[in-house]
Amino acid sequence: MKNPLFYVSLGLIVIFSFIQTATAQKSLYKPQTHQLDLQLAGANYITDLGNLYQPLPFSVNLLNGARYTWNYSLKHALRVGVAHRQAKFESGPTSYLNLLSYESQKKDTDFSIGYLYKYHKGPYQYFLGIEAIYSLGEVVEDGTSPDFPSFHNEYIYKNYGAGGFGGVRYFLSPNISAALEAGVYYTDNKHVSGGYGEPYTRVAYNEEIGVNVAASVGIHLVKMKKRCTCPRH
């Protein structure tokens, strides 16, 4: 009967051979010019809302965005996107701590345009980018207080800002991929309208800082043309 060490060695050889074969597989990534992404889920945490609302909301939204990316080279791309997010507050403005009850819905639609740098290794794509952000939002709030029986307040706003993001994309096939990315952003509230409910005239934050995490699936179209690297004469 063979020594057990033989079987251990044989098993290690088989495992090593399998790992070597798997890592040596031809990449599923094929350069494509156009990329369409559907955001399957997005998580958002607002870390700063102008010291107006506490605690700050964490929200998860499903099927809440889409993006188009133009890959003009292997390492560089431009993208535009739109995403919707909705958060719920259960604690009112810090200046109204005597509220007996409070509930608010904050809805935002974010439009973005940005640049990303890409690095490919096997079926994986790693990317980093920056983007400009324009947001349209609405807040609807209701509450009660010892000082007044009830109040209802609504306002809409426009935010301008910028953000940075990074993530990883895995190519399931040359034309289909899945991606996970995270980013931070800052927006400044420049234009507010509404907010004329009782008992106060206007309660609106002036800035927003937050963190986004998103999972998406991508479709890649039109094979990228090969560029000549021959020396010019």
Side-chain angles (χ1 to χ4, degrees):
M1 184 175 179
K2 294 185 181 296
N3 192 303
L5 185 60
F6 168 80
Y7 296 102
V8 174
S9 301
L10 181 62
L12 291 175
I13 292 173
V14 171
I15 293 173
F16 178 79
S17 300
F18 173 79
I19 294 174
Q20 188 178 37
T21 302
T23 55
Q25 286 182 344
K26 188 176 181 181
S27 171
L28 293 176
Y29 170 72
K30 302 292 182 183
Q32 308 287 331
T33 302
H34 305 290
Q35 175 182 318
L36 300 174
D37 282 290
L38 174 64
Q39 190 161 300
L40 302 178
N44 172 254
Y45 175 65
I46 301 174
T47 62
D48 183 8
L49 201 54
N51 296 320
L52 186 60
Y53 295 90
Q54 298 291 342
L56 296 171
F58 172 82
S59 61
V60 176
N61 298 276
L62 303 178
L63 296 174
N64 65 317
R67 278 189 300 273
Y68 165 75
T69 302
W70 174 44
N71 298 288
Y72 60 88
S73 75
L74 287 175
K75 293 186 177 181
H76 306 279
L78 298 175
R79 77 178 192 181
V80 295
V82 59
H84 176 76
R85 52 193 171 90
Q86 180 173 320
K88 182 179 180 181
F89 299 87
E90 293 183 348
S91 179
T94 54
S95 58
Y96 291 89
L97 294 179
N98 60 339
L99 288 171
L100 295 176
S101 66
Y102 181 86
E103 184 174 297
S104 175
Q105 293 285 342
K106 180 178 182 294
K107 301 177 183 179
D108 293 271
T109 301
D110 302 322
F111 302 90
S112 62
I113 178 169
Y115 159 83
L116 61 153
Y117 175 82
K118 306 168 292 176
Y119 171 74
H120 299 94
K121 186 173 183 181
Y124 293 94
Q125 177 193 94
Y126 304 92
F127 57 91
L128 290 171
I130 55 175
E131 59 187 356
I133 302 169
Y134 170 68
S135 298
L136 296 175
E138 176 188 23
V139 168
V140 178
E141 53 190 357
D142 294 278
T144 59
S145 167
D147 302 324
F148 43 86
S150 64
F151 74 88
H152 176 81
N153 186 54
E154 300 181 16
Y155 60 87
I156 59 176
Y157 51 88
K158 299 176 183 178
N159 287 356
Y160 303 87
F165 58 88
V168 59
R169 181 178 299 276
Y170 180 78
F171 282 82
L172 304 168
S173 76
N175 300 101
I176 299 177
S177 67
L180 182 66
E181 73 171 69
V184 295
Y185 67 91
Y186 169 86
T187 57
D188 191 23
N189 189 330
K190 290 294 186 182
H191 302 281
V192 181
S193 60
Y196 296 104
E198 296 295 339
Y200 50 88
T201 302
R202 175 174 295 178
V203 173
Y205 65 91
N206 55 13
E207 67 179 9
E208 180 177 333
I209 301 174
V211 179
N212 287 321
V213 178
S216 61
V217 60
I219 299 175
H220 304 262
L221 305 169
V222 185
K223 187 176 180 180
M224 190 178 296
K225 295 181 180 180
K226 292 184 178 180
R227 296 187 177 184
C228 179
T229 58
C230 304
R232 295 183 178 180
H233 299 286

